[in-house]
Amino acid sequence: MRLLDELRAEHDLIDRVAGSLRTFAARRAKGECGSGDGAAFRRFFRLWAGAWHHAREEETLFPALAEKAELSPAHGPIAAFVEQHHEMAKVLDALDPLLDLDALGEDDARRLVDLATVYTRELGRHIDAENSVLFPESELRLRQANVLELEGRAPADEELSARSDGERLAAAWPFTADAGGVRGEGCIVCPSYGTTCRGVEAEWWNDSEWEEFSDHLG
Ligand SMILES: [Fe+2]
Ligand SMILES: [Fe+2]
């Protein structure tokens, strides 16, 4: 499905720019660079990762899963991913004023690094859970409901220009991996697993899927 392919490609760029943000924050904290690119990081994460990408999932993909594939938006993966979008937005709100603060004191510098770490760590696990669980399940369940493509709105000019900011930032700032972060596949990497979501099998599988599964076990 083209929508899911595009969302995956957007994840790739968001992930790359998250690695660049970690580099930027670390270098800012050491006084090795100015605040010049801070505003571009803000535009990218607010407008491309948030207003475009997260909103596209919430406005196009999740309603289709609820309406066509009869998956409840009130609990389970859909509710969990929406909640994660809100949690990340809160961290970004706190990070926002530090991104292009010229006179960065010692406390501000520590906060910049901490918040960039929390934000990008949450984002990485969110992306892994969407890529490895949400998107494959969505493709399957929408196909079963005869939904082969989903159309949403087109990106606004300012969103496209925020994407260009991201491409430039990813090239300008080397990628720093999140040394303390856990990346991977399956519900186990999802920040909501075991707290607000019981996992995709418990939340989404119906009786016949469980039967088929136990038949395979034989
Ligand atoms: Fe998402
Ligand atoms: Fe996503």
Side-chain angles (χ1 to χ4, degrees):
M1 182 183 287
R2 199 183 69 239
L3 175 86
L4 295 174
D5 293 342
E6 288 176 5
L7 290 171
R8 277 181 199 280
E10 290 167 12
H11 282 169
D12 287 347
L13 179 62
I14 292 168
D15 226 350
R16 271 165 47 213
V17 182
S20 297
L21 175 65
R22 289 190 288 267
T23 308
F24 171 78
R27 292 192 53 195
R28 274 292 287 146
K30 289 186 206 148
E32 293 174 359
C33 67
S35 61
D37 268 339
F41 278 109
R42 173 188 295 125
R43 284 195 298 275
F44 177 78
F45 286 109
R46 285 219 178 269
L47 295 176
W48 188 250
W52 171 253
H53 177 87
H54 291 166
R56 201 177 188 203
E57 292 168 346
E58 291 184 26
E59 289 163 14
T60 305
L61 179 60
F62 297 165
L65 291 173
E67 286 154 26
K68 314 278 187 195
E70 294 175 5
L71 297 166
S72 174
H75 62 82
I78 298 176
F81 287 120
V82 171
E83 189 192 6
Q84 288 167 29
H85 290 169
H86 293 163
E87 289 301 316
M88 288 186 282
K90 276 191 229 160
V91 181
L92 189 55
D93 284 344
L95 174 64
D96 184 301
L98 299 167
L99 284 171
D100 55 357
L101 191 66
D102 278 329
L104 202 65
E106 214 174 292
D107 286 349
D108 291 331
R110 201 174 310 120
R111 236 173 105 67
L112 172 67
V113 171
D114 287 350
L115 288 167
T117 302
V118 171
Y119 177 67
T120 59
R121 184 167 296 170
E122 182 90 357
L123 195 54
R125 295 174 67 188
H126 178 83
I127 285 174
D128 286 351
E130 289 187 338
N131 281 347
S132 67
V133 179
L134 174 70
F135 292 173
E137 287 276 341
S138 297
E139 181 119 48
L140 183 73
R141 280 159 201 282
L142 290 170
R143 199 187 315 128
Q144 284 167 346
N146 282 322
V147 179
L148 302 180
E149 203 44 80
L150 290 171
E151 295 299 332
R153 70 174 174 88
D157 287 348
E158 62 171 7
E159 290 164 351
L160 289 173
S161 105
R163 182 183 67 185
S164 303
D165 280 324
E167 283 161 352
R168 183 183 64 74
L169 292 166
W173 295 91
F175 184 90
T176 299
D178 177 10
V182 177
R183 302 294 301 262
E185 292 192 346
C187 286
I188 198 81
V189 297
C190 183
S192 302
Y193 182 57
T195 55
T196 59
C197 181
R198 294 171 297 142
V200 72
E201 293 90 349
E203 300 281 357
W204 278 3
W205 282 21
N206 59 34
D207 290 347
S208 68
E209 285 166 322
W210 278 110
E211 266 167 41
E212 207 179 301
F213 179 67
S214 55
D215 285 351
H216 281 305
L217 292 181

